[in-house]
Amino acid sequence: MDSNSFCEGTIWTQQILSLIYFEGHRNNTENMQTMDRAPFFEYNVHNLDYAKMPSPRIFASHLPYYLAPKALKNKKVKILYIYRNPKDVLTSYYYFSNLIAVLQDANSIENFMQRFLDGKLVGSLWFDHIRGWYEHRHDFNILFMSFEDMKMNLKSSVLKICSFLEKELSEEDIDAVVRQAMFQNMKSDPRANYDDIIKNEIGVKNDEGRFLRKGNIQ
């Protein structure tokens, strides 16, 4: 799973894939954070042994296409790329930068927007990221989906993801995925909302914000 939707879209997709693939996550019989079910490929926060993770292995990533492992081009690995309106990415990133301790303060929205447009933020330039993956899409087994489409029709998006992954679920299970993956429900789910991780592991600058904010589209 790659993502150009930044924080909210990435975490949302981690939750959706966890609900699709892991019955224990779907029926609440297992208490494992999505960070461990679908860890970041480039940030092994919990020092997991990726080679010993049971199949199917799911990873999140913000890597541009040219830093992705070359083995992904064998097309055996399925890549789900979530992209989002750059205006909403900018807004989400702005509030995120003013919350997370390890990131430079965003200061004014005008200053932050200039850094965003110059590609001087973690993750590089939004436009280069999405263009790189899209122009090289034929090199990978990849499905592009927009954050906006997922918000407007989550069930249809879940069905599309299941079809791409060749994962068959019952209608009851699909409904359970959709219900638990709704943004407000995920926001209150401690396995998925990252609240504990950012407060106790990453560090925050204040107690005024949350990792997951509104998930709105404009």
Side-chain angles (χ1 to χ4, degrees):
M1 173 184 74
D2 209 305
S3 178
N4 190 240
S5 55
F6 202 61
C7 306
E8 292 176 328
T10 305
I11 296 172
W12 193 20
T13 309
Q14 283 177 305
Q15 172 73 338
I16 291 171
L17 293 177
S18 295
L19 290 165
I20 288 174
Y21 271 113
F22 301 105
E23 183 179 359
H25 197 83
R26 195 165 56 243
N27 62 23
N28 293 302
T29 60
E30 295 176 0
N31 185 24
M32 180 185 291
Q33 293 177 330
T34 54
M35 168 72 85
D36 295 328
R37 290 201 185 277
F40 278 85
F41 193 80
E42 62 269 37
Y43 306 118
N44 192 353
V45 177
H46 291 160
N47 296 314
L48 303 175
D49 188 338
Y50 289 167
K52 293 183 179 179
M53 287 175 60
S55 182
R57 287 192 287 262
I58 305 171
F59 296 98
S61 177
H62 290 308
L63 289 175
Y65 88 95
Y66 56 83
L67 292 180
K70 302 303 180 188
L72 296 182
K73 292 187 177 183
N74 64 18
K75 298 191 177 183
K76 292 181 180 179
V77 175
K78 295 179 184 289
I79 301 173
L80 181 59
Y81 188 103
I82 310 299
Y83 60 94
R84 188 179 185 183
N85 180 326
K87 181 180 178 181
D88 291 333
V89 173
L90 168 65
T91 302
S92 176
Y93 206 160
Y94 171 75
Y95 285 102
F96 182 67
S97 295
N98 282 330
L99 174 65
I100 301 300
V102 296
L103 294 179
Q104 180 181 342
D105 286 346
N107 298 318
S108 69
I109 186 66
E110 292 81 9
N111 176 269
F112 189 78
M113 180 173 66
Q114 191 59 58
R115 289 167 54 206
F116 178 82
L117 293 174
D118 291 340
K120 294 182 178 179
L121 300 172
V122 176
S124 192
L125 188 62
W126 181 94
F127 306 95
D128 287 346
H129 197 288
I130 193 168
R131 181 171 57 238
W133 277 102
Y134 189 76
E135 289 182 349
H136 292 84
R137 65 192 181 279
H138 300 300
D139 295 334
F140 305 94
N141 186 0
I142 190 169
L143 172 66
F144 288 85
M145 296 185 67
S146 77
F147 184 96
E148 291 75 21
D149 286 346
M150 292 167 66
K151 281 286 291 185
M152 288 188 287
N153 194 329
L154 181 56
K155 184 171 184 177
S156 175
S157 298
V158 168
L159 289 170
K160 188 174 183 178
I161 292 171
C162 286
S163 177
F164 174 66
L165 299 175
E166 300 178 277
K167 177 68 175 178
E168 293 186 11
L169 293 179
S170 67
E171 187 69 23
E172 182 181 3
D173 286 338
I174 290 291
D175 289 341
V177 172
V178 173
R179 181 176 62 256
Q180 294 181 67
M182 291 178 63
F183 202 83
Q184 288 304 315
N185 291 339
M186 185 183 73
K187 195 172 178 178
S188 63
D189 185 345
R191 299 174 305 170
N193 60 26
Y194 272 55
D195 281 352
D196 182 63
I197 292 172
I198 65 168
K199 290 177 182 177
N200 299 318
E201 298 182 41
I202 300 175
V204 294
K205 298 171 184 173
N206 56 67
D207 294 324
E208 299 173 6
R210 299 187 64 182
F211 207 105
L212 295 176
R213 294 181 58 253
K214 299 178 180 179
N216 291 340
I217 57 177
Q218 300 182 37

